[in-house]
Amino acid sequence: MARKIRTALIYKKDYSFFNENHFDKTTSYFFKDALKRNESLEVSYFPCENEFDVSKLKGKCDVILFVGNEYDAIPEIIHGIKQSSIPVISKQGDPHYAKKFKRIELHEKFKIDAYWSLQPKEYFYKFYPKHFRYEEIIWGLEPSKYQNLKPYNQRIKNRILNSGNVGRKNLKSKIGHLFSKEINSSTYYYKLRTMCNDLPYVDYAGMKNNQYINEDYAEYLSRYCTAIATGTFYPVIKYFEIPAAGCLTFMEITEKNHGQYLGYKNNETAIFISEKNYQEKFEDYLSDPNNKNWKDIAKAGSEYTLNELNNDKGVESLVHLMQEFIK
């Protein structure tokens, strides 16, 4: 067996996504659980304050891994990084915030060799230089969290679930949005999700005080036969969470969001929707919710997602990326 890749994960002690009380556990599942399961990796964790000395890793580490490329995730000062020959690979956040969080500057400051995340490469390169190395890697789904859920035939069938942030519709928010996409930003990034809430047969549960109203998201999804997964410019983790829970997934797949790379097939593992046809697709389902075809699509979508888009597959892809930079 080949020697394991010695991986140093550097992150801030107070990184919010590693807080056990944080509403979104997906980042923790990937870095704290899935990384350790991979037999090709030997992972050492380095929680720190606002400084870290990389010289302590010399001769003991093959790859440095960042949980994100902004200062809420990594220390502002990393001593010796410029002199280090250890390759640096970082997960990146929403690409459209590259300028706002000075991520291009961090690329040079910390000698980052490559980036990865689930956003399609077309969207990444809208905001980052074309010579930056970027890999599409699906992450965030832990299959163990989707076991023993309510069977499809026992779920709510005459309503469609919508969840996640949506745009505000008050006049002040609408006017502000005309001047800046950062005001009422969910209207911009989740336009179709926001539009769906106008329909009388759509059930919506968002967030309150930065917490999901329904803490166990998988269990909540499993109350419904069908649910909506949308992203105007790129797919989000809900694209995996919803089908994994056994829901017939109405999934926004368009040329604009480049969602085809996920591998779902229309009318086989999901029902593809867009801003032009979503009502028609919903009403097709609601006109005959007992049609066995819907259950078959939901089952196929769940199996595909759990088998092919899980965290362990994501870590395997990350290992391949690491191997490109190990001498």
Side-chain angles (χ1 to χ4, degrees), residues 8-15 18 45-54 56-57 64-81 88 90 101-102 105-107 109-112:
L9 185 71
I10 299 173
Y11 59 96
K12 278 187 175 177
K13 287 182 179 179
D14 61 356
Y15 181 48
F18 283 172
Y45 294 84
F46 293 93
C48 53
E49 301 292 346
N50 209 32
E51 293 187 37
F52 183 80
D53 187 351
V54 80
K56 69 174 70 173
L57 302 177
I64 293 172
L65 189 61
F66 290 164
V67 297
N69 57 332
E70 57 189 60
Y71 289 135
D72 72 327
I74 55 175
E76 293 186 31
I77 301 171
I78 302 182
H79 299 287
I81 195 75
V88 178
S90 178
F101 294 117
K102 300 181 180 180
E105 295 177 21
L106 291 186
H107 177 85
K109 180 178 180 179
F110 294 145
K111 290 177 56 182
I112 298 174

